[in-house]
Amino acid sequence: MPLREGPLGDLKVPLTWTAAVALIVAAVIAVAFLLADRRETLQEQAYGVTRQTVDVVAKPVSGAIAAPGRWTGLGLDYVRSYFFVASENRRLKAELADMRQWRDRALDLQDQNERFKSLLGLRTDPPIPMASARIVADTRGPFANTRLADAGVERGVQVGNPAMNERGLVGRVVGVSHGASRILLLTDIASRTPVMIDRTNARAILTGDGGPNPKLEYLRGVDPIRQGDRVVTSGDGGVVPRGLPVGAAVKGLDGRWRVVLFADQTSIDYVRILLFKDFAQLANEKELETRVLPPVTTEDPQASILSAPPPAASTPPAPAAGAAPTSPTAAAAPPSGAAAKPAAAKPATTAATKPASKSATTAPPPPGAPR
């Protein structure tokens, strides 16, 4: 039925009123927007109350509107996890295996880094130049124990140079070429190293016998060693420097003293070769030979006396003409008493006067003289 044929068909609304109502509604909406944007024109308390009211009304409405979407997402995740759990399990296992490999690699690098720091931190007193090397080959046998290192003559390595790892003495170089050197270990049957007991300074010879613990021979002194004493190199003979750590003394099953080597506490993968020739390289011989002592001054009486020339030997005075020579012993001997002086003077007077009187009384008269 057309609108004009209904009961409201006769109702006529003036056009001006409709425009006025529309304008009023538009003005109210504009004022509401302006009030919402320009907050500084309103009182803070009134705006806060309005905002709180809007938030209280919007909270349950927003939650009710968002709830279906949230429930739908949770349901999809549950279904996906249920149907794809096998593939997820396989993926996690593969990732865990990969992480374990990286973990082992990281631990290996950490251990290697710590060993490098310990190896590079080796110091000797006095300081001796060193060359770092890596063990590239291991020669083992019933009696022979050697290692092949990747440092040779181009690094200054020579036969006889001692080799150490971060724990202690490993051995010494017995062969060298370009890019490689052979190290004879302390456990080799041909190894002989002069050592001493750090507690008592007792000397001994560390002799390898092919076993893990070389033996101590030619121990000298009374009670020179005890269980657990620290053994170091003695430097005797100029083979190796003095004071390099070797091991700890233990009593073997055969009743002989042996040494548990410090170097065997870790794997011998990296070594430091001491470029040691002899003790002459530790001091400048030219400076020792050409050194001049400081001049002695007279301020120090003892030094003046020591530096004074010795007195010249005094010669006795020559005897007078006609005097009897006297021996130095008799001249230097003092008189034994007061009675000795007259006894020495009396013979001299008698000897001088007696011949004169005798000649005067006993001389014959000249011929023709009256008697």
Side-chain angles (χ1 to χ4, degrees), residues 16-332:
T16 55
W17 289 6
T18 303
V21 171
L23 181 61
I24 292 172
V25 172
V28 171
I29 294 174
V31 171
F33 279 114
L34 289 175
L35 292 176
D37 291 339
R38 298 188 56 81
R39 301 176 184 178
E40 67 275 4
T41 60
L42 299 176
Q43 295 182 1
E44 183 178 357
Q45 184 177 2
Y47 173 74
V49 172
T50 304
R51 190 68 176 177
Q52 290 177 1
T53 304
V54 174
D55 292 341
V56 170
V57 174
K59 179 180 179 181
V61 175
S62 300
I65 294 174
R70 184 172 63 255
W71 294 340
T72 304
L74 292 175
L76 292 176
D77 291 341
Y78 178 77
V79 173
R80 187 183 299 109
S81 63
Y82 180 78
F83 285 101
F84 296 98
V85 64
S87 60
E88 184 71 12
N89 192 15
R90 287 193 298 268
R91 186 184 65 83
L92 292 177
K93 285 183 178 180
E95 185 177 353
L96 181 59
D98 191 20
M99 290 297 103
R100 285 177 177 174
Q101 293 179 1
W102 283 109
R103 182 200 61 184
D104 296 340
R105 179 63 176 168
L107 293 176
D108 181 57
L109 290 176
Q110 181 181 3
D111 180 69
Q112 187 175 0
N113 189 22
E114 292 178 356
R115 292 187 61 188
F116 283 159
K117 287 182 179 179
S118 301
L119 193 64
L120 294 176
L122 288 177
R123 296 291 184 271
T124 59
D125 187 19
I128 299 174
M130 303 181 186
S132 301
R134 183 171 62 92
I135 300 299
V136 296
D138 181 4
T139 303
R140 290 184 179 270
F143 302 104
N145 290 320
T146 61
R147 297 288 189 276
L148 192 65
D150 61 350
V153 292
E154 75 284 353
R155 304 282 298 277
V157 180
Q158 297 182 359
V159 174
N161 291 155
M164 298 181 62
N165 65 356
E166 66 271 21
R167 298 289 183 178
L169 185 66
V170 172
R172 57 189 179 90
V173 177
V174 293
V176 63
S177 63
H178 185 78
S181 57
R182 184 168 296 279
I183 301 174
L184 184 73
L185 301 186
L186 297 177
T187 56
D188 191 276
I189 194 172
S191 176
R192 300 290 187 275
T193 306
V195 296
M196 70 178 183
I197 311 304
D198 195 16
R199 181 178 59 87
T200 60
N201 287 342
R203 265 50 175 187
I205 300 296
L206 186 67
T207 305
D209 57 358
N213 301 323
K215 55 188 177 180
L216 290 172
E217 294 183 346
Y218 309 108
L219 274 170
R220 297 189 298 271
V222 179
D223 192 16
I225 190 171
R226 294 178 184 175
Q227 185 81 10
D229 280 346
R230 188 169 180 264
V231 181
V232 297
T233 57
S234 64
D236 296 337
V239 179
V240 293
R242 181 174 179 172
L244 301 181
V246 177
V250 294
K251 198 68 170 291
L253 297 177
D254 56 355
R256 308 184 66 173
W257 286 103
R258 295 181 176 272
V259 176
V260 177
L261 300 177
F262 293 150
D264 287 345
Q265 296 179 3
T266 58
S267 58
I268 305 175
D269 296 331
Y270 299 91
V271 295
R272 293 271 279 176
I273 301 176
L274 280 65
L275 307 181
F276 176 80
K277 300 177 183 178
D278 51 24
F279 291 103
Q281 75 181 102
L282 304 181
N284 193 334
E285 294 184 355
K286 294 183 179 180
E287 292 183 0
L288 294 176
E289 294 176 356
T290 59
R291 186 174 180 180
V292 180
L293 295 176
V296 180
T297 60
T298 57
E299 297 178 359
D300 188 0
Q302 184 178 1
S304 302
I305 294 173
L306 295 177
S307 61
S314 58
T315 56
T326 58
S327 63
T329 306

